[in-house]
Amino acid sequence: MLLTPRDSRAPARRAPSRRARTVRRAAAALVASAVSVCLVAASAPPAPLGVGDRLFPYLGNPGYDVASYDLSFTYSGKNTEPLKAVTTIDAWTTRPLERINLDFAYGDVESVEVDGEAASFATAGEDLVITPARPLTAGAWTRVTVRHTSDPTPGTDRDGGWVRTDDGLAMANQADAAHLVFPCNDHPSDKAMFTIRVTAPDGYTAVANGLPAGAERAGRTTTWTYRTQHPMATELAQVSIGRSRVLHRTGPHGLPLRDVVPAADAAKLEPWLKKTPDQIAWMESKVGRYPFETYGLLMAGADTGFELETQTLSLFEKDLFTEPAYPEWYVDSIMVHELSHQWFGDSVTPRTWSDLWLNEGHATWYEALYAEEHGDRPMEARMKAAYSASDRWRASGGPPAAPKPPVPGQKIGIFRANVYDGAALVLYALREAIGASAFAQLERLWVREHQDGTAGTADFTELASDISGRDLSGFFQAWLYGEKTPPMPGHPDWKSTAPAEAAGPTKGAAPAKPAASAKPAASAKPAASAAPAGGRG
């Protein structure tokens, strides 16, 4: 996500058991700290649970593994009114449960059923706590159906969830906002398949993640259905409802592409949209085949302050493409940033939110590489500038793999410069240390081995060590967790400015936008070494 804050020796390939070991490791690793509170006595007061994420301790819930979500939304035609909604969750229990906790914080619950029987429910913190008619056994297949509202009006000190656009709604759920829209296990470690149905009045078009699975008219409304073909984290869900046009084209290997734009702006936006097939081909030349069933851009008439890599349908502010002050190379690189997330973050999803650097560092890396190859913006100049600022970023936001927790009410949350250009700097150092050939092999093998799964920093460290033929644990420990930036391999003259040497922010002032996510000033083009700002995304 771009926070606007937009800002040669190859070992034999290892047995393919790594992916099998890691795809489901997420749940086991994260729930370990929560096991003692999982078996909640029915007589005890409802309590919020979590999977123990260091940055979001109450996100996710132990005791079950979601297989699929079926989401149904009914839109009235006014984006200030709550939508009627039904969320159906199919899941496997991983241990006996007398209660089921779901993350849900911003809607009214009408009723809950578990396996077709009415269940009682209560709220605790940002959890919906459900008590089935009878306890669930370990290893049971269970279905939870929640009838509720989904409120698109902004909450107090909460950002994300539904985004109100000029003509309807879109979603921006990263990092911890999907449960403002629908009940879920709102942690990236629990990916699932999605079916999404949207009913809207005549004149509106609804589009969601995945491929269309039908549109049915009834009176003056139409219900659109979409289904994903690959598992997805809740934070990547997307629904667009608006007076939109859906534009179709074909990408590499016959990949179906569809873009969603305000109907009145379709012709004006076409010069940008037609770039996508070549950008996909460029990314495939770097890391391998596109990992999903479709792709496209959702250009929303909204002032979000960021772009977002929602799976198969990336969210963009329309004005990124219509503001003439933004140079072409800059806009192109932001498009590539969100596209590259389809591999890094969407297909290979972080096991914990502390692994965010693997998403944003890679997206920033390919954003910068594209700008170098197509916009004459040298990667080395950008990385040298990032190195100069790295110690300050570490002091303010934490090291790349140990970001400081989010501050309540602060829009950028954990999406700070340390996980954008600060993390891309780690990848630059790695390439300098192991060589371009080994680095390229690492990138391809990483997305292939962990496709459709979750992975973390330890996995990346292990794979990089295997490919390079040497133990890189010390390298990553220093670069990812150190308070100070290590010396840059091959560039001993590079210096990082200590926090005390830089002018500090005015007390009470808003934090600076990360370089990787901040838009350039409308009055001036970004410098060649500047990171195209790209908001959360």
Side-chain angles (χ1 to χ4, degrees), residues 153-455:
T153 60
T156 303
D157 293 330
R158 286 304 302 264
D159 189 53
W162 287 113
V163 172
R164 291 190 291 181
T165 66
D166 293 342
D167 60 352
L169 293 170
M171 279 187 194
N173 295 332
Q174 200 176 83
D176 61 335
H179 67 283
L180 302 182
V181 177
F182 58 96
C184 56
N185 203 29
D186 197 8
H187 192 272
S189 61
D190 193 3
K191 299 169 70 169
M193 306 298 282
F194 277 73
T195 297
I196 301 175
R197 297 178 174 85
V198 182
T199 302
D202 288 348
Y204 288 89
T205 299
V207 185
N209 312 89
L211 294 174
E216 298 182 2
R217 288 186 56 84
R220 297 183 178 181
T221 66
T222 300
T223 299
W224 287 266
T225 300
Y226 293 84
R227 289 193 176 92
T228 65
Q229 306 299 304
H230 297 263
M232 181 170 71
T234 52
E235 46 110 359
L236 301 173
Q238 182 58 270
V239 171
S240 166
I241 308 171
R243 300 187 182 278
S244 309
R245 282 192 63 185
V246 181
L247 307 176
H248 298 274
R249 69 195 78 235
T250 302
H253 322 293
L255 178 72
L257 305 179
R258 48 84 171 90
D259 302 302
V260 184
V261 302
D265 297 310
K268 182 182 354 180
L269 295 171
E270 177 59 22
W272 297 105
L273 297 171
K274 69 182 182 181
K275 293 171 178 270
T276 298
D278 286 343
Q279 291 173 347
I280 294 175
W282 182 84
M283 275 299 303
E284 288 189 338
S285 75
K286 303 300 182 185
V287 297
R289 193 149 178 164
Y290 178 76
F292 295 122
E293 63 272 23
T294 185
Y295 185 63
L297 278 62
L298 166 56
M299 295 183 171
D303 182 12
T304 60
F306 55 79
E307 325 305 333
L308 186 61
E309 67 274 16
T310 40
Q311 189 163 309
T312 73
L313 186 61
S314 292
L315 173 66
F316 290 84
E317 293 178 308
K318 184 186 72 173
D319 72 359
L320 173 67
F321 304 93
T322 58
E323 170 53 63
Y326 300 150
E328 184 175 7
W329 72 265
Y330 166 80
V331 179
D332 288 345
S333 66
I334 298 307
M335 293 173 68
V336 169
H337 181 110
E338 302 309 333
L339 171 63
S340 64
H341 269 308
Q342 302 300 310
W343 286 264
F344 299 95
D346 293 11
S347 179
V348 184
T349 303
R351 181 163 298 128
T352 74
W353 279 112
S354 294
D355 299 314
L356 176 64
W357 77 273
L358 287 163
N359 297 17
E360 299 301 346
H362 277 101
T364 303
W365 175 263
Y366 289 103
E367 165 197 320
L369 189 60
Y370 192 88
E372 178 177 65
E373 294 186 10
H374 293 82
D376 194 25
R377 260 55 190 180
M379 169 76 82
E380 183 174 322
R382 178 167 176 170
M383 292 298 100
K384 185 176 182 179
Y387 191 90
S388 177
S390 179
D391 279 355
R392 301 197 304 274
W393 292 342
R394 289 169 185 251
S396 63
K404 293 181 179 179
V407 177
Q410 188 178 99
K411 187 171 186 176
I412 65 171
I414 59 175
F415 296 91
R416 311 181 185 100
N418 59 330
V419 298
Y420 287 92
D421 275 49
L425 188 67
V426 177
L427 298 176
Y428 184 84
L430 178 62
R431 190 179 70 169
E432 294 290 288
I434 68 175
S437 177
F439 182 82
Q441 183 185 1
L442 167 63
E443 295 292 274
R444 287 177 170 272
L445 194 54
W446 173 254
V447 296
R448 185 163 74 239
E449 285 208 348
H450 297 288
Q451 182 175 359
D452 288 341
T454 62

Side-chain angles (χ1 to χ4, degrees), residues 108-129:
D108 295 327
V109 177
E110 176 186 329
S111 66
V112 178
E113 292 179 358
V114 177
D115 296 327
E117 294 186 271
S120 60
F121 58 91
T123 58
E126 296 195 349
D127 279 14
L128 173 65
V129 184

